[in-house]
Amino acid sequence: MFPKDKDGNLLFRDVPLSDTWKALAQEKKAGKVRSIGVSNFSAQEIKDMTQDGAEMPAVNQVEAHVFWNQKELCKEMKELGVAVVAYSPL
């Protein structure tokens, strides 16, 4: 499933995040997924990823709980139209 060299070592290559995001958006457009989102992204990272007109993520899953409410990030996500999904390690 993953590319390997002749010795069986995994091959890695740097792929810009914006290219990965565009590929996910194409899968959504093709009807293979209903929505796409991100996890632990800052508002700036989302802006950078979508600066060329790519669609915004539907959600940004972040750690948030009573001791770390992520108030500023939630405000920024609301301004961008991105829903926040909270998770909390207990």
Side-chain angles (χ1 to χ4, degrees):
M1 176 174 204
F2 296 102
K4 296 180 181 178
D5 65 14
K6 63 181 172 75
D7 297 320
N9 299 312
L10 289 176
L11 295 173
F12 298 97
R13 70 176 196 180
D14 293 327
V15 177
L17 179 59
S18 59
D19 290 353
T20 302
W21 188 249
K22 287 176 193 172
L24 286 169
Q26 288 174 350
E27 297 303 305
K28 181 182 173 195
K29 190 174 183 179
K32 294 182 180 179
V33 296
R34 286 186 272 177
S35 60
I36 51 179
V38 295
S39 181
N40 299 313
F41 274 48
S42 68
Q44 189 58 53
E45 288 171 318
I46 290 175
K47 290 174 187 174
D48 292 346
M49 180 178 72
T50 59
Q51 69 183 356
D52 62 351
E55 74 175 275
M56 285 288 178
V59 298
N60 184 11
Q61 182 184 39
V62 298
E63 179 180 0
H65 45 74
V66 69
F67 300 111
W68 191 19
N69 62 23
Q70 299 276 23
K71 192 178 260 185
E72 185 61 30
L73 179 66
C74 289
K75 178 180 169 247
E76 293 171 334
M77 292 299 106
K78 187 174 184 177
E79 290 170 359
L80 292 173
V82 177
V84 174
V85 175
Y87 71 85
S88 174
L90 298 175

